[in-house]
Amino acid sequence: MFLWVQLSPVFAFLAAVSTSYDPASTIPNTGIVCRFTKEAGLVFNQETSDVIQATFRHASFPDIEGETSILLLGSVSYSFKNLQINNMSVERSDVDLSNEKGILIAIQDVAAAFEGTMEYAYSNWLLHLNHSLEFEIHSQTDVNLAVMLAYDNGRFAVTIPDCQLNFDKLTLKIQRDKEANWIQKLFTDFVSFTLRHIVKGQICAEIHKMANLLADFTLDQAGLFVQDGEIATSVKLTSDPVLTSGYIESRHEGSVSYKNSTVFQKPSAIPVERREIRMFNLWVSEPVINSLLFAAHHDNRLTLILSDGHLLKLFEDGGSKIESNLLQQDSETIVHTSYADSKIHLRPSSHHWSIKVVRSNPAIALDESKVKHYLEAFFAAGGLEKIISYIEFYITALLHKKGLRYFNITNSVMETYEGYVTIGTDFGFPRQLLENFLRNLAPIIRT
């Protein structure tokens, strides 16, 4: 015998709150609010050096051409071509937040070696000489950035109002280890000044490009995380991100779509005043959760097939000779949730439950009182725990599929309030996501 049970409790522990709210005290058109604290920024800062090194490596430098006059020699023209980075390292980096200046990033002791080809010519009334040779540039610099985030048609717009490269060293070496002749030495210092300007301009431009690519990548990954099959949740921004000295907050639409049709969502019930409880915090409005439940129900995500021997025995003990039947019930209880050891844990606060609706296959006559009796026996024998264990497995598998385990989640907590749910967690840096970004960086830049 098969018992098909519609499992609306999958997210019931999220939605077991009141729908009442005060529109004047909530954020309009926002279903999800995300807040990273300064402590979370420090976790991401551990990998800043990798991003900066990738920025230098993928930077493209234009050919540098110039001309100057040198006493007694006459006119000297030069060009630097095929400038590229051969080797580099980053000593350390620091990050800070400022509501006036934005995200402040200080990167110390970036050592880089450039190489390329130099062509120069000098001429006067007596002679004319052209020469081509290889060169190296050894530099050491500190990079200081101010990064601002803004809303741009549902996406992040990243600007860098302040980008400073302070060169502690920039040395031009011609012919590598060979001794430069006296003419080369004459204009080496002049050319080094030009190189400082060119390198600074290109690196700052590349950092700006990289920051926008990383912002787009982050938002796209968030969109993929909340999408599965034909169910998707919009993570489009609804306003400018909020930046204070303690956190960065972004506000997202949160509308749910199923098979390319938007599921109806009421106005948000997320209050304006909130407090963070962990490094990373989410506020999800009840309409978003209900819309997800609606879509999951129509996608048959919340259907469980039970063909259990002891369940059959319960039916037989009831003294009924019924045929195989289709039963649906909704069972409400309050469930506390946690996330530890890469697994969702659900714990009922009590074993009190009630059956509100019973529907059976109309082709088979079935006494409603008997159905309730059988279901009561099923729950009394541990049926609720069985359903909850299924929900644990389903959600854990879904989160694993989405790569949540890469974040090394710790100290997670979930709290329910009137009209919304708060989810907070501490985490470790998702190294694999950064590696995916850096691995795909070259084709993204070309595009």
Side-chain angles (χ1 to χ4, degrees):
M1 177 181 292
F2 295 94
L3 178 65
W4 292 70
V5 185
Q6 298 300 323
L7 295 178
S8 60
V10 171
F11 288 105
F13 60 94
L14 296 177
V17 292
S18 172
T19 59
S20 62
Y21 62 93
D22 178 12
S25 63
T26 61
I27 303 173
N29 305 318
T30 299
I32 301 173
V33 176
C34 171
R35 181 179 291 183
F36 282 92
T37 64
K38 183 175 179 178
E39 289 72 21
L42 295 176
V43 171
F44 283 100
N45 179 61
Q46 297 173 7
E47 312 299 329
T48 301
S49 61
D50 286 348
V51 176
I52 292 299
Q53 290 186 58
T55 302
F56 273 75
R57 284 195 302 269
H58 290 91
S60 58
F61 299 91
D63 293 343
I64 303 171
E65 298 181 350
E67 184 174 343
T68 187
S69 296
I70 298 178
L71 185 63
L72 300 178
L73 287 180
S75 177
V76 177
S77 60
Y78 56 88
S79 65
F80 292 87
K81 298 181 178 180
N82 305 319
L83 187 62
Q84 56 186 325
I85 291 181
N86 183 37
N87 192 18
M88 73 169 298
S89 63
V90 177
E91 183 67 25
R92 69 187 183 91
S93 62
D94 297 300
V95 66
D96 200 0
L97 302 179
S98 169
N99 56 345
E100 294 180 354
K101 297 182 179 180
I103 306 170
L104 304 178
I105 302 174
I107 305 154
Q108 287 79 37
D109 297 332
V110 181
F114 301 81
E115 63 180 18
T117 304
M118 176 182 180
E119 297 177 355
Y120 69 96
Y122 57 90
S123 61
N124 57 22
W125 60 273
L126 186 60
L127 59 85
H128 181 84
L129 179 65
N130 293 296
H131 198 41
S132 178
L133 46 83
E134 294 180 342
F135 71 90
E136 285 186 350
I137 300 172
H138 294 273
S139 68
Q140 188 167 333
T141 180
D142 297 331
V143 183
N144 294 286
L145 307 169
V147 181
M148 298 294 292
L149 303 175
Y151 168 87
D152 181 19
N153 194 28
R155 309 286 294 184
F156 285 106
V158 182
T159 58
I160 304 192
D162 190 13
C163 177
Q164 298 181 4
L165 271 69
N166 302 315
F167 288 98
D168 299 318
K169 179 179 72 173
L170 194 150
T171 306
L172 173 63
K173 296 183 64 177
I174 298 175
Q175 292 182 308
R176 297 192 176 177
D177 297 329
K178 294 181 181 180
E179 185 69 22
N181 63 41
W182 67 275
I183 296 177
Q184 295 164 356
K185 289 179 179 178
L186 282 176
F187 64 87
T188 293
D189 291 340
F190 174 81
V191 172
S192 296
F193 175 82
T194 304
L195 285 172
R196 288 172 184 262
H197 179 73
I198 295 295
V199 170
K200 176 181 177 179
Q202 287 302 117
I203 292 298
C204 287
E206 291 295 333
I207 289 176
H208 180 256
K209 182 191 299 183
M210 179 74 75
N212 277 281
L213 287 174
L214 190 56
D216 287 342
F217 176 80
T218 302
L219 195 62
D220 290 340
Q221 290 298 310
L224 292 174
F225 187 86
V226 293
Q227 177 179 355
D228 191 66
E230 296 183 287
I231 302 176
T233 306
S234 172
V235 294
K236 287 184 177 180
L237 297 181
T238 59
S239 62
D240 286 339
V242 178
L243 198 151
T244 72
S245 59
Y247 61 80
I248 302 172
E249 179 177 286
S250 57
R251 300 168 179 178
H252 306 265
E253 190 177 280
S255 60
V256 178
S257 61
Y258 175 61
K259 293 186 175 179
N260 297 321
S261 297
T262 301
V263 179
F264 176 75
Q265 179 184 326
K266 303 175 187 176
S268 169
I270 300 175
V272 173
E273 296 297 329
R274 300 171 306 281
R275 64 178 182 87
E276 62 271 12
I277 53 179
R278 292 293 188 269
M279 290 164 51
F280 172 72
N281 305 271
L282 278 176
W283 289 268
V284 185
S285 71
E286 181 181 349
V288 174
I289 297 168
N290 288 338
S291 297
L292 283 170
L293 285 172
F294 178 84
H297 169 74
H298 284 274
D299 201 46
N300 293 322
R301 299 293 186 96
L302 310 182
T303 299
L304 172 65
I305 300 176
L306 294 175
S307 56
D308 202 323
H310 79 269
L311 180 61
L312 294 175
K313 188 175 185 303
L314 286 175
F315 275 44
E316 291 173 357
D317 290 345
S320 174
K321 302 298 183 180
I322 62 172
E323 301 293 332
S324 298
N325 199 4
L326 174 68
L327 300 177
Q328 293 180 326
Q329 62 87 23
D330 301 322
S331 174
E332 290 190 350
T333 188
I334 297 176
V335 180
H336 296 285
T337 182
S338 62
Y339 185 88
D341 301 323
S342 299
K343 184 179 184 299
I344 283 286
H345 301 275
L346 304 178
R347 180 177 57 85
S349 60
S350 69
H351 290 282
H352 297 293
W353 47 267
S354 62
I355 300 172
K356 288 190 173 183
V357 179
V358 175
R359 294 193 298 272
S360 62
N361 190 330
I364 302 176
L366 189 62
D367 184 78
E368 183 176 331
S369 62
K370 287 187 177 182
V371 173
K372 287 187 176 181
H373 170 72
Y374 297 145
L375 291 175
E376 287 170 357
F378 167 70
F379 280 98
L384 180 60
E385 288 79 4
K386 189 176 187 67
I387 291 175
I388 289 177
S389 67
Y390 166 77
I391 298 172
E392 284 183 338
F393 175 81
Y394 173 79
I395 299 179
T396 298
L398 183 60
L399 294 179
H400 281 185
K401 177 182 176 182
K402 294 300 179 179
L404 190 65
R405 62 184 182 276
Y406 298 136
F407 287 80
N408 189 23
I409 298 297
T410 57
N411 302 323
S412 59
V413 63
M414 179 178 292
E415 298 175 351
T416 58
Y417 299 92
E418 288 192 4
Y420 68 99
V421 171
T422 298
I423 303 170
T425 186
D426 296 330
F427 65 95
F429 188 84
R431 180 69 195 183
Q432 179 157 333
L433 290 183
L434 177 63
E435 291 174 351
N436 289 341
F437 171 72
L438 296 178
R439 188 182 306 116
N440 297 319
L441 189 58
I444 291 176
I445 289 179
R446 285 197 297 269
T447 302

